[in-house]
Coordinates of all heavy atoms in Angstrom, one line a residue:
G41 N -13.0 -14.5 -16.8 CA -11.7 -14.0 -16.8 C -11.2 -13.3 -15.6 O -10.0 -13.0 -15.4
F42 N -12.2 -12.9 -14.7 CA -11.8 -12.2 -13.4 C -12.8 -12.6 -12.3 O -13.8 -13.2 -12.6 CB -11.8 -10.7 -13.6 CG -13.1 -10.1 -13.9 CD1 -13.8 -9.6 -12.8 CD2 -13.6 -10.0 -15.2 CE1 -15.1 -9.0 -13.1 CE2 -14.9 -9.5 -15.4 CZ -15.6 -9.0 -14.3
E43 N -12.5 -12.2 -11.1 CA -13.4 -12.5 -10.0 C -13.4 -11.2 -9.1 O -12.4 -10.5 -9.0 CB -13.0 -13.7 -9.2 CG -11.7 -13.6 -8.4 CD -11.4 -14.9 -7.7 OE1 -10.9 -15.8 -8.3 OE2 -11.6 -14.9 -6.5
V44 N -14.6 -11.0 -8.5 CA -14.7 -9.9 -7.6 C -15.2 -10.4 -6.2 O -16.1 -11.3 -6.2 CB -15.8 -8.8 -8.1 CG1 -16.0 -7.7 -7.1 CG2 -15.3 -8.3 -9.5
G45 N -14.6 -10.0 -5.2 CA -15.0 -10.4 -3.8 C -15.2 -9.2 -2.9 O -14.5 -8.2 -3.0
L46 N -16.1 -9.4 -1.9 CA -16.2 -8.5 -0.8 C -15.8 -9.2 0.4 O -16.5 -10.1 0.9 CB -17.6 -8.0 -0.7 CG -17.9 -7.0 0.4 CD1 -17.1 -5.7 0.2 CD2 -19.4 -6.6 0.6
L47 N -14.6 -8.9 1.0 CA -14.0 -9.6 2.1 C -14.2 -8.8 3.4 O -14.0 -7.6 3.4 CB -12.6 -9.9 1.8 CG -12.2 -10.6 0.5 CD1 -10.7 -10.9 0.4 CD2 -12.9 -12.0 0.5
T48 N -14.4 -9.5 4.5 CA -14.4 -8.9 5.8 C -13.4 -9.7 6.7 O -13.3 -10.9 6.6 CB -15.8 -8.9 6.4 OG1 -16.3 -10.3 6.5 CG2 -16.8 -8.1 5.6
H49 N -12.7 -8.9 7.4 CA -11.6 -9.4 8.3 C -11.8 -8.8 9.7 O -11.9 -7.6 9.7 CB -10.2 -9.2 7.8 CG -10.0 -9.9 6.5 ND1 -9.7 -11.2 6.4 CD2 -10.0 -9.4 5.2 CE1 -9.6 -11.5 5.1 NE2 -9.7 -10.5 4.4
K50 N -11.7 -9.5 10.7 CA -11.8 -9.0 12.1 C -10.5 -8.5 12.6 O -9.4 -8.9 12.1 CB -12.3 -10.1 13.0 CG -13.7 -10.6 12.8 CD -14.7 -9.6 13.1 CE -16.1 -10.1 13.0 NZ -17.1 -9.0 13.1
K51 N -10.5 -7.5 13.4 CA -9.4 -6.9 14.1 C -8.5 -8.1 14.6 O -9.0 -9.0 15.3 CB -9.8 -6.0 15.2 CG -8.6 -5.4 16.0 CD -9.1 -4.5 17.1 CE -7.9 -4.0 17.9 NZ -8.3 -3.1 18.9
G52 N -7.2 -8.1 14.3 CA -6.3 -9.1 14.8 C -6.4 -10.5 14.2 O -5.6 -11.4 14.5
E53 N -7.3 -10.6 13.2 CA -7.4 -11.9 12.5 C -6.1 -12.2 11.8 O -5.5 -11.4 11.2 CB -8.5 -11.8 11.4 CG -8.7 -13.0 10.6 CD -9.8 -12.8 9.5 OE1 -10.6 -12.0 9.7 OE2 -9.7 -13.6 8.5
Y54 N -5.7 -13.5 11.8 CA -4.4 -13.9 11.1 C -4.8 -14.3 9.7 O -5.7 -15.2 9.5 CB -3.8 -15.1 11.9 CG -2.5 -15.6 11.1 CD1 -1.4 -14.8 11.1 CD2 -2.6 -16.8 10.4 CE1 -0.3 -15.2 10.4 CE2 -1.5 -17.2 9.7 CZ -0.3 -16.4 9.7 OH 0.8 -16.9 9.0
W55 N -4.1 -13.8 8.8 CA -4.2 -14.1 7.4 C -2.8 -14.4 6.9 O -2.0 -13.6 6.8 CB -4.9 -13.0 6.6 CG -5.4 -13.3 5.2 CD1 -4.7 -12.9 4.1 CD2 -6.5 -14.0 4.8 NE1 -5.5 -13.3 3.0 CE2 -6.6 -14.0 3.4 CE3 -7.5 -14.6 5.5 CZ2 -7.6 -14.6 2.7 CZ3 -8.6 -15.2 4.8 CH2 -8.6 -15.2 3.4
A56 N -2.6 -15.7 6.6 CA -1.2 -16.1 6.2 C -0.7 -15.3 5.0 O -1.4 -15.1 4.1 CB -1.2 -17.6 5.9
P57 N 0.6 -14.9 5.1 CA 1.2 -14.3 4.0 C 1.1 -15.2 2.7 O 1.3 -16.4 2.9 CB 2.7 -14.1 4.4 CG 2.6 -14.1 5.9 CD 1.5 -15.0 6.3
H58 N 0.8 -14.6 1.6 CA 0.6 -15.5 0.4 C 0.9 -14.6 -0.9 O 1.1 -13.4 -0.8 CB -0.8 -16.0 0.4 CG -1.8 -15.0 0.2 ND1 -2.3 -14.2 1.2 CD2 -2.5 -14.5 -0.9 CE1 -3.2 -13.3 0.8 NE2 -3.3 -13.5 -0.5
Y59 N 0.9 -15.3 -2.0 CA 1.1 -14.7 -3.3 C 0.3 -15.5 -4.3 O -0.1 -16.6 -4.1 CB 2.6 -14.6 -3.6 CG 3.3 -15.9 -3.8 CD1 3.4 -16.5 -5.1 CD2 3.8 -16.6 -2.7 CE1 4.1 -17.7 -5.2 CE2 4.5 -17.8 -2.9 CZ 4.6 -18.3 -4.1 OH 5.2 -19.5 -4.3
H60 N 0.2 -14.9 -5.5 CA -0.4 -15.6 -6.6 C 0.6 -15.7 -7.8 O 1.3 -14.7 -8.1 CB -1.7 -14.8 -7.1 CG -2.6 -14.5 -6.0 ND1 -3.5 -15.5 -5.5 CD2 -2.9 -13.4 -5.2 CE1 -4.2 -15.0 -4.5 NE2 -3.8 -13.7 -4.3
K61 N 0.6 -16.8 -8.4 CA 1.5 -17.0 -9.6 C 0.9 -16.5 -10.9 O 1.7 -16.1 -11.8 CB 1.9 -18.5 -9.7 CG 2.8 -19.0 -8.6 CD 3.1 -20.5 -8.8 CE 4.0 -21.0 -7.7 NZ 4.3 -22.5 -7.9
E62 N -0.4 -16.5 -11.0 CA -1.0 -16.2 -12.3 C -1.9 -15.0 -12.3 O -2.2 -14.5 -13.3 CB -1.9 -17.4 -12.7 CG -1.1 -18.7 -12.9 CD -1.9 -19.9 -13.3 OE1 -3.0 -19.7 -14.0 OE2 -1.6 -21.0 -13.0
S63 N -2.3 -14.5 -11.1 CA -3.3 -13.4 -11.0 C -2.6 -12.1 -10.5 O -1.7 -12.2 -9.7 CB -4.4 -13.8 -10.1 OG -5.1 -14.9 -10.5
V64 N -3.2 -11.0 -10.9 CA -2.9 -9.7 -10.3 C -4.1 -9.4 -9.5 O -5.3 -9.7 -9.9 CB -2.7 -8.6 -11.4 CG1 -2.5 -7.3 -10.8 CG2 -1.5 -9.0 -12.3
E65 N -3.9 -8.9 -8.3 CA -5.0 -8.6 -7.4 C -5.1 -7.1 -7.1 O -4.1 -6.5 -6.7 CB -4.8 -9.4 -6.1 CG -5.9 -9.3 -5.1 CD -5.6 -10.2 -3.9 OE1 -5.7 -11.4 -4.0 OE2 -5.3 -9.6 -2.8
Y66 N -6.3 -6.5 -7.4 CA -6.6 -5.1 -7.1 C -7.5 -5.0 -5.9 O -8.5 -5.8 -5.8 CB -7.3 -4.5 -8.3 CG -6.5 -4.6 -9.6 CD1 -6.6 -5.8 -10.4 CD2 -5.6 -3.7 -10.0 CE1 -5.9 -5.9 -11.6 CE2 -4.9 -3.8 -11.1 CZ -5.0 -4.9 -11.9 OH -4.3 -5.0 -13.1
N67 N -7.1 -4.2 -4.9 CA -7.9 -4.1 -3.7 C -8.2 -2.7 -3.3 O -7.5 -1.7 -3.6 CB -7.0 -4.6 -2.5 CG -6.5 -6.1 -2.8 OD1 -7.2 -7.0 -2.4 ND2 -5.4 -6.3 -3.4
L68 N -9.4 -2.5 -2.7 CA -9.9 -1.2 -2.2 C -10.3 -1.5 -0.8 O -11.2 -2.3 -0.5 CB -11.1 -0.7 -3.0 CG -11.8 0.5 -2.4 CD1 -10.9 1.7 -2.3 CD2 -13.1 0.8 -3.1
L69 N -9.6 -0.8 0.2 CA -10.0 -0.9 1.6 C -11.2 0.1 1.8 O -11.1 1.3 1.6 CB -8.8 -0.4 2.5 CG -9.1 -0.5 4.0 CD1 -9.5 -2.0 4.4 CD2 -7.9 0.0 4.7
V70 N -12.4 -0.5 2.1 CA -13.6 0.2 2.2 C -13.7 0.8 3.6 O -14.1 1.9 3.8 CB -14.8 -0.7 1.9 CG1 -16.1 0.0 2.1 CG2 -14.7 -1.2 0.4
S71 N -13.4 -0.1 4.6 CA -13.5 0.4 6.0 C -12.4 -0.3 6.8 O -11.9 -1.4 6.5 CB -14.9 0.1 6.6 OG -15.1 -1.3 6.7
G72 N -12.1 0.3 8.0 CA -11.1 -0.2 8.9 C -9.7 0.3 8.5 O -9.5 1.2 7.7
S73 N -8.7 -0.2 9.3 CA -7.3 0.1 9.0 C -6.5 -1.2 9.0 O -6.8 -2.1 9.8 CB -6.8 1.2 9.9 OG -6.6 0.7 11.2
M74 N -5.4 -1.2 8.2 CA -4.6 -2.4 8.2 C -3.2 -2.0 7.7 O -3.0 -0.9 7.2 CB -5.2 -3.4 7.2 CG -5.3 -2.9 5.8 SD -6.2 -4.1 4.6 CE -4.9 -5.3 4.5
T75 N -2.3 -2.8 7.9 CA -0.9 -2.7 7.4 C -0.6 -3.8 6.5 O -1.0 -4.9 6.7 CB 0.1 -2.6 8.6 OG1 -0.1 -1.6 9.4 CG2 1.5 -2.5 8.0
I76 N 0.0 -3.5 5.3 CA 0.4 -4.5 4.4 C 1.7 -4.0 3.8 O 1.9 -2.8 3.5 CB -0.7 -4.8 3.3 CG1 -0.5 -6.1 2.7 CG2 -0.8 -3.7 2.3 CD1 -1.8 -6.8 2.3
Q77 N 2.7 -4.9 3.8 CA 4.0 -4.6 3.3 C 4.6 -3.3 4.0 O 5.1 -2.4 3.4 CB 4.1 -4.4 1.8 CG 3.7 -5.7 1.0 CD 3.8 -5.5 -0.5 OE1 3.6 -4.4 -1.0 NE2 4.0 -6.6 -1.2
N78 N 4.4 -3.3 5.3 CA 4.8 -2.2 6.2 C 4.2 -0.8 5.8 O 4.8 0.2 6.2 CB 6.4 -2.1 6.2 CG 7.0 -3.3 6.8 OD1 6.6 -3.8 7.8 ND2 8.0 -3.8 6.1
K79 N 3.1 -0.8 5.2 CA 2.4 0.4 4.8 C 1.0 0.5 5.5 O 0.2 -0.5 5.3 CB 2.2 0.5 3.3 CG 1.7 1.8 2.8 CD 1.5 1.8 1.3 CE 2.8 2.1 0.6 NZ 2.7 2.2 -0.8
L80 N 0.8 1.5 6.2 CA -0.5 1.7 6.9 C -1.6 2.1 5.9 O -1.4 3.1 5.1 CB -0.4 2.7 8.0 CG -1.7 3.0 8.8 CD1 -2.2 1.8 9.5 CD2 -1.5 4.2 9.7
L81 N -2.7 1.4 5.8 CA -3.8 1.7 4.9 C -5.0 2.1 5.6 O -5.3 1.6 6.7 CB -4.1 0.5 4.0 CG -2.9 0.0 3.2 CD1 -3.2 -1.3 2.5 CD2 -2.5 1.0 2.1
N82 N -5.8 3.1 5.1 CA -7.0 3.6 5.6 C -8.1 3.5 4.6 O -7.8 3.3 3.4 CB -6.8 5.0 6.1 CG -5.8 5.0 7.3 OD1 -6.1 4.5 8.4 ND2 -4.7 5.6 7.1
P83 N -9.4 3.7 5.0 CA -10.5 3.6 4.0 C -10.2 4.5 2.8 O -9.8 5.6 2.9 CB -11.7 4.1 4.8 CG -11.4 3.7 6.2 CD -9.9 3.9 6.4
G84 N -10.5 3.9 1.6 CA -10.3 4.6 0.4 C -9.0 4.3 -0.3 O -8.8 4.6 -1.5
D85 N -8.1 3.7 0.4 CA -6.8 3.3 -0.2 C -6.9 2.2 -1.1 O -7.6 1.2 -0.8 CB -5.8 3.0 0.9 CG -5.3 4.2 1.7 OD1 -5.5 5.4 1.2 OD2 -4.7 4.1 2.8
L86 N -6.3 2.3 -2.2 CA -6.2 1.2 -3.2 C -4.8 0.6 -3.1 O -3.8 1.3 -2.9 CB -6.3 1.8 -4.7 CG -7.7 2.3 -5.0 CD1 -7.6 3.1 -6.3 CD2 -8.7 1.2 -5.1
F87 N -4.7 -0.7 -3.3 CA -3.4 -1.4 -3.3 C -3.5 -2.6 -4.3 O -4.5 -3.2 -4.4 CB -2.9 -1.8 -1.9 CG -3.9 -2.6 -1.1 CD1 -3.7 -4.0 -0.9 CD2 -4.9 -2.0 -0.5 CE1 -4.5 -4.7 -0.1 CE2 -5.8 -2.8 0.3 CZ -5.6 -4.1 0.5
V88 N -2.4 -2.8 -4.9 CA -2.3 -3.8 -6.0 C -1.2 -4.8 -5.7 O -0.1 -4.4 -5.3 CB -2.0 -3.2 -7.4 CG1 -1.9 -4.2 -8.5 CG2 -3.2 -2.2 -7.7
F89 N -1.4 -6.1 -5.9 CA -0.4 -7.1 -5.8 C -0.2 -7.7 -7.2 O -1.1 -8.3 -7.8 CB -0.8 -8.2 -4.9 CG -0.9 -7.7 -3.5 CD1 -2.1 -7.5 -2.9 CD2 0.3 -7.4 -2.7 CE1 -2.2 -7.1 -1.6 CE2 0.2 -7.0 -1.5 CZ -1.0 -6.8 -0.9
E90 N 1.0 -7.5 -7.7 CA 1.4 -8.1 -9.0 C 1.7 -9.6 -8.8 O 1.8 -10.0 -7.6 CB 2.7 -7.4 -9.5 CG 2.5 -5.9 -9.8 CD 1.6 -5.6 -10.9 OE1 1.3 -6.5 -11.8 OE2 1.1 -4.5 -11.0
K91 N 1.8 -10.3 -9.8 CA 2.1 -11.8 -9.7 C 3.4 -11.9 -8.9 O 4.4 -11.2 -9.1 CB 2.3 -12.4 -11.1 CG 1.1 -12.3 -12.0 CD 1.4 -12.8 -13.4 CE 0.3 -12.6 -14.3 NZ 0.6 -13.0 -15.7
G92 N 3.3 -12.9 -7.9 CA 4.5 -13.2 -7.1 C 4.7 -12.2 -6.0 O 5.6 -12.5 -5.1
E93 N 4.0 -11.1 -5.9 CA 4.2 -10.2 -4.8 C 3.5 -10.7 -3.5 O 2.3 -11.1 -3.6 CB 3.6 -8.8 -5.2 CG 4.1 -7.7 -4.3 CD 3.7 -6.3 -4.9 OE1 3.0 -6.3 -6.0 OE2 4.0 -5.3 -4.2
I94 N 4.1 -10.6 -2.4 CA 3.6 -11.2 -1.2 C 2.6 -10.2 -0.5 O 2.9 -9.1 -0.2 CB 4.7 -11.6 -0.2 CG1 5.6 -12.7 -0.9 CG2 4.2 -12.0 1.1 CD1 6.8 -13.1 -0.1
A95 N 1.5 -10.8 -0.1 CA 0.5 -10.1 0.7 C 0.6 -10.5 2.1 O 0.6 -11.7 2.4 CB -0.9 -10.4 0.2
D96 N 0.8 -9.6 3.0 CA 1.1 -10.0 4.5 C 0.3 -9.0 5.4 O 0.9 -8.3 6.2 CB 2.6 -9.8 4.7 CG 3.2 -8.4 4.5 OD1 2.4 -7.6 3.9 OD2 4.3 -8.2 4.9
P97 N -1.0 -9.1 5.3 CA -1.9 -8.2 6.1 C -1.9 -8.3 7.6 O -1.8 -9.4 8.1 CB -3.3 -8.5 5.5 CG -3.2 -9.9 5.1 CD -1.8 -10.1 4.6
I98 N -2.0 -7.2 8.2 CA -2.2 -7.1 9.7 C -3.4 -6.2 9.8 O -3.4 -5.0 9.4 CB -1.0 -6.5 10.4 CG1 0.2 -7.3 10.2 CG2 -1.3 -6.3 11.9 CD1 1.5 -6.7 10.7
F99 N -4.5 -6.7 10.5 CA -5.7 -6.0 10.6 C -5.8 -5.3 11.9 O -5.9 -5.9 13.0 CB -6.9 -6.9 10.4 CG -6.9 -7.7 9.1 CD1 -6.5 -9.0 9.0 CD2 -7.2 -7.0 7.9 CE1 -6.4 -9.6 7.7 CE2 -7.1 -7.6 6.7 CZ -6.7 -8.9 6.6
H100 N -5.7 -3.9 11.9 CA -5.8 -3.1 13.2 C -7.2 -2.9 13.6 O -7.4 -2.6 14.8 CB -5.1 -1.8 12.9 CG -3.7 -1.9 12.4 ND1 -2.7 -2.5 13.1 CD2 -3.1 -1.6 11.2 CE1 -1.6 -2.5 12.4 NE2 -1.8 -1.9 11.2
E101 N -8.1 -3.0 12.7 CA -9.6 -2.8 13.0 C -10.3 -3.8 12.2 O -9.7 -4.4 11.2 CB -10.0 -1.4 12.7 CG -9.3 -0.3 13.4 CD -9.7 1.1 12.9 OE1 -10.2 1.2 11.7 OE2 -9.6 2.0 13.6
D102 N -11.6 -4.0 12.4 CA -12.4 -4.8 11.5 C -12.3 -4.1 10.1 O -12.4 -2.9 10.0 CB -13.9 -4.8 11.9 CG -14.1 -5.6 13.2 OD1 -13.1 -6.3 13.7 OD2 -15.2 -5.6 13.7
C103 N -12.1 -4.9 9.1 CA -11.9 -4.3 7.7 C -12.8 -4.9 6.7 O -13.2 -6.1 6.8 CB -10.4 -4.6 7.2 SG -9.2 -3.7 8.2
T104 N -13.2 -4.1 5.7 CA -14.0 -4.6 4.6 C -13.1 -4.2 3.3 O -12.7 -3.0 3.2 CB -15.4 -3.9 4.5 OG1 -16.1 -4.2 5.7 CG2 -16.1 -4.4 3.3
I105 N -12.9 -5.1 2.5 CA -12.1 -4.9 1.3 C -12.8 -5.5 0.0 O -13.3 -6.6 0.1 CB -10.7 -5.7 1.5 CG1 -10.1 -5.3 2.7 CG2 -9.8 -5.5 0.2 CD1 -8.9 -6.2 3.1
V106 N -12.8 -4.7 -1.0 CA -13.3 -5.1 -2.3 C -12.0 -5.6 -3.1 O -11.0 -4.9 -3.2 CB -14.0 -4.0 -3.1 CG1 -14.3 -4.5 -4.5 CG2 -15.2 -3.6 -2.4
V107 N -12.1 -6.8 -3.6 CA -10.9 -7.5 -4.2 C -11.3 -7.9 -5.7 O -12.4 -8.5 -5.9 CB -10.4 -8.7 -3.5 CG1 -9.3 -9.4 -4.2 CG2 -10.1 -8.4 -2.0
V108 N -10.5 -7.5 -6.6 CA -10.7 -8.0 -8.0 C -9.4 -8.7 -8.4 O -8.3 -8.2 -8.3 CB -10.9 -6.8 -9.0 CG1 -11.1 -7.3 -10.4 CG2 -12.1 -6.0 -8.5
K109 N -9.5 -10.0 -8.8 CA -8.4 -10.8 -9.3 C -8.5 -11.1 -10.8 O -9.6 -11.5 -11.2 CB -8.3 -12.1 -8.5 CG -7.6 -12.0 -7.2 CD -7.2 -13.3 -6.5 CE -7.7 -14.6 -7.0 NZ -7.3 -15.7 -6.2
V110 N -7.4 -10.8 -11.5 CA -7.4 -11.0 -12.9 C -6.2 -11.8 -13.3 O -5.1 -11.4 -13.0 CB -7.4 -9.6 -13.6 CG1 -7.4 -9.8 -15.2 CG2 -8.5 -8.7 -13.2
P111 N -6.3 -13.0 -13.9 CA -7.5 -13.7 -14.2 C -8.0 -14.4 -12.9 O -7.2 -14.6 -12.0 CB -7.2 -14.7 -15.3 CG -5.7 -15.0 -15.0 CD -5.1 -13.7 -14.5
S112 N -9.2 -15.0 -13.0 CA -9.7 -15.8 -11.9 C -9.2 -17.2 -12.1 O -9.6 -17.9 -13.1 CB -11.2 -15.8 -11.9 OG -11.7 -16.7 -10.9
T113 N -8.3 -17.7 -11.3 CA -7.7 -19.0 -11.4 C -7.8 -19.8 -10.1 O -7.2 -19.4 -9.1 CB -6.2 -18.9 -11.8 OG1 -6.0 -18.0 -12.9 CG2 -5.5 -20.2 -12.0
I114 N -8.6 -20.8 -10.1 CA -8.8 -21.7 -8.9 C -7.4 -22.2 -8.5 O -6.6 -22.7 -9.3 CB -9.8 -22.8 -9.2 CG1 -11.2 -22.2 -9.5 CG2 -9.9 -23.8 -8.1 CD1 -12.2 -23.2 -10.0
G115 N -7.2 -22.1 -7.2 CA -6.0 -22.7 -6.6 C -4.7 -21.9 -6.7 O -3.6 -22.3 -6.4
D116 N -4.9 -20.6 -7.2 CA -3.7 -19.7 -7.4 C -3.5 -18.9 -6.2 O -3.5 -17.7 -6.2 CB -3.9 -18.8 -8.7 CG -2.7 -18.0 -9.0 OD1 -1.6 -18.4 -8.8 OD2 -2.9 -16.8 -9.4
K117 N -3.3 -19.6 -5.1 CA -2.9 -18.9 -3.8 C -1.9 -19.8 -3.1 O -2.1 -21.0 -2.8 CB -4.1 -18.7 -2.9 CG -3.8 -18.0 -1.6 CD -5.1 -17.8 -0.8 CE -4.8 -17.1 0.5 NZ -6.0 -16.9 1.3
Y118 N -0.7 -19.2 -2.9 CA 0.4 -20.0 -2.3 C 0.9 -19.3 -1.0 O 1.3 -18.1 -1.1 CB 1.6 -20.0 -3.3 CG 1.1 -20.7 -4.6 CD1 0.6 -19.9 -5.6 CD2 1.2 -22.0 -4.8 CE1 0.1 -20.5 -6.8 CE2 0.8 -22.6 -6.0 CZ 0.2 -21.8 -7.0 OH -0.2 -22.4 -8.1
E119 N 0.7 -20.0 0.1 CA 1.2 -19.5 1.4 C 2.7 -19.5 1.4 O 3.4 -20.4 0.9 CB 0.6 -20.3 2.5 CG -0.9 -20.0 2.7 CD -1.4 -20.6 4.0 OE1 -0.7 -21.1 4.8 OE2 -2.7 -20.6 4.1
V120 N 3.2 -18.4 2.1 CA 4.7 -18.3 2.3 C 5.0 -19.0 3.6 O 4.5 -18.7 4.6 CB 5.1 -16.8 2.4 CG1 6.6 -16.7 2.7 CG2 4.7 -16.1 1.1
L121 N 5.9 -20.0 3.5 CA 6.3 -20.8 4.6 C 7.4 -20.1 5.4 O 8.3 -19.6 4.7 CB 6.7 -22.2 4.2 CG 5.6 -23.0 3.4 CD1 6.1 -24.3 3.0 CD2 4.3 -23.1 4.3
S122 N 7.3 -20.1 6.7 CA 8.4 -19.4 7.4 C 9.4 -20.4 8.0 O 9.3 -21.6 7.9 CB 7.8 -18.6 8.6 OG 6.9 -19.3 9.3

């Protein structure tokens, strides 16, 4: 019914803006700093994406993030086309 991931992203890595139609995503920034939805995040910050909410990360440093998606639905990631 859910999935847990430990993600690592390099400073400056491009991660396409995207959203989920069926899942809510809970995130904990473990290390590094990043901006998402124009908000600067630092280690220990929690952030949640509701269904349909766009994730648009910018990685200022190498980052480690714990992610929990509920429910776990294969293919439920939709890139935002510009």
Side-chain angles (χ1 to χ4, degrees):
F42 67 94
E43 66 183 79
V44 178
L46 180 64
L47 306 180
T48 56
H49 297 283
K50 294 290 185 187
K51 176 182 177 179
E53 177 182 339
Y54 176 73
W55 192 255
H58 67 280
Y59 63 95
H60 305 284
K61 290 182 181 178
E62 298 179 31
S63 299
V64 175
E65 187 177 286
Y66 302 90
N67 301 271
L68 169 64
L69 182 60
V70 176
S71 65
S73 72
M74 62 186 287
T75 298
I76 204 148
Q77 296 180 336
N78 296 315
K79 186 182 281 186
L80 179 63
L81 300 172
N82 294 294
D85 287 343
L86 295 166
F87 53 104
V88 177
F89 294 105
E90 299 293 338
K91 297 175 190 176
E93 193 172 3
I94 295 173
D96 59 349
I98 299 169
F99 302 104
H100 305 296
E101 301 174 338
D102 291 354
C103 292
T104 301
I105 305 168
V106 174
V107 181
V108 178
K109 275 192 350 186
V110 180
S112 177
T113 304
I114 295 172
D116 184 36
K117 181 177 179 180
Y118 301 89
E119 288 189 9
V120 176
L121 304 175
S122 48

